[in-house]
Amino acid sequence: MSATRLLVLGVVRMYGRAHGYQVRRELLTWSADKWASVQPGSIYHALKKMAAEDLLEQVEVEPGESGPDRVAYRITKEGDQEFHLLLAKALSEPTATAAEVAAGVSFLTALPRQRAISLLEHRLVVLESEERSASLMIRDTAHWEKAEHVAELFRLWSAQARTGLEWTRSLIERLTAGEYEMADDPSR
């Protein structure tokens, strides 16, 4: 999975149609260049690649539309499916990179409320398992004669899992309480 791919699809989807300059400008306002290492070249490359994969389709830029680009993009049905798949993975899989999770959180409200909660609950189950596994590995290092310092790696994994659990539980609570306007809320 790629944070850039999810971000680019999401921004094009959000606008309905967008050109590369618009996507780049939007992502810069989110500081995605810092937390996801999204660079201008990677945005334009992603747009062209996803157009070749039929996830995006090229459309003419309207006269007077701002930006230097001559081509705009619109998400296809397949692109929307890919967006939702990437979004689900970013929110549910604890193995997702920090950039992928951040990209997923950026588009959290594109999901129906219960779907978002379900994905996060899946994340909880896996994180609980990872935290338990790391704790068991820490306990087992007491019997090692050499390389006992490797227990620090297991302590790191345990701490990361606990932090992920705390954040995920908190987000589920906020969503359950009705925080954020989600895709299936009546006002949308």
Side-chain angles (χ1 to χ4, degrees):
M1 186 173 102
S2 158
T4 301
R5 192 173 177 90
L6 175 55
L7 288 166
V8 170
L9 280 171
V11 170
V12 172
R13 183 179 185 273
M14 182 178 78
Y15 277 107
R17 56 188 297 287
H19 50 76
Y21 179 76
Q22 259 180 308
V23 173
R24 177 176 175 238
R25 188 179 59 216
E26 184 68 28
L27 292 177
L28 285 175
T29 66
W30 301 358
S31 298
D33 56 321
K34 293 172 183 59
W35 54 264
S37 298
V38 175
Q39 301 303 316
S42 61
I43 293 168
Y44 289 100
H45 175 74
L47 287 166
K48 289 177 185 172
K49 185 173 185 340
M50 288 189 286
E53 295 170 353
D54 295 323
L55 302 177
L56 298 173
E57 63 183 352
Q58 291 186 359
V59 293
E60 297 267 334
V61 173
E62 298 292 324
E65 198 171 334
S66 66
D69 295 345
R70 299 284 184 244
V71 175
Y73 297 88
R74 176 174 41 222
I75 198 163
T76 64
K77 180 181 172 190
E78 293 81 8
D80 197 58
Q81 290 171 346
E82 177 77 0
F83 167 78
H84 279 91
L85 175 67
L86 294 174
L87 181 55
K89 285 181 177 182
L91 294 174
S92 68
E93 294 181 1
T95 57
T97 66
E100 291 164 347
V101 174
V105 170
S106 298
F107 294 109
L108 176 70
T109 59
L111 293 171
R113 186 172 304 279
Q114 194 51 52
R115 174 74 173 140
I117 291 169
S118 294
L119 290 168
L120 293 166
E121 286 172 340
H122 175 78
R123 180 183 190 79
L124 272 182
V125 170
V126 178
L127 283 169
E128 287 166 348
S129 172
E130 287 180 359
E131 200 281 327
R132 178 76 176 131
S133 178
S135 295
L136 290 172
M137 287 188 277
I138 292 167
R139 187 193 70 195
D140 290 344
T141 59
H143 307 291
W144 293 4
E145 292 181 21
K146 294 184 179 179
E148 62 272 2
H149 63 281
V150 174
E152 293 306 323
L153 176 60
F154 305 145
R155 287 184 187 96
L156 172 63
W157 291 345
S158 179
Q160 288 172 329
R162 283 192 310 273
T163 300
L165 282 165
E166 180 183 329
W167 173 80
T168 305
R169 286 182 183 127
S170 177
L171 179 54
I172 290 170
E173 287 174 16
R174 288 191 300 281
L175 288 171
T176 301
E179 203 166 314
Y180 307 117
E181 188 175 320
M182 302 300 285
D184 60 342
D185 285 348
S187 59
R188 274 199 152 181

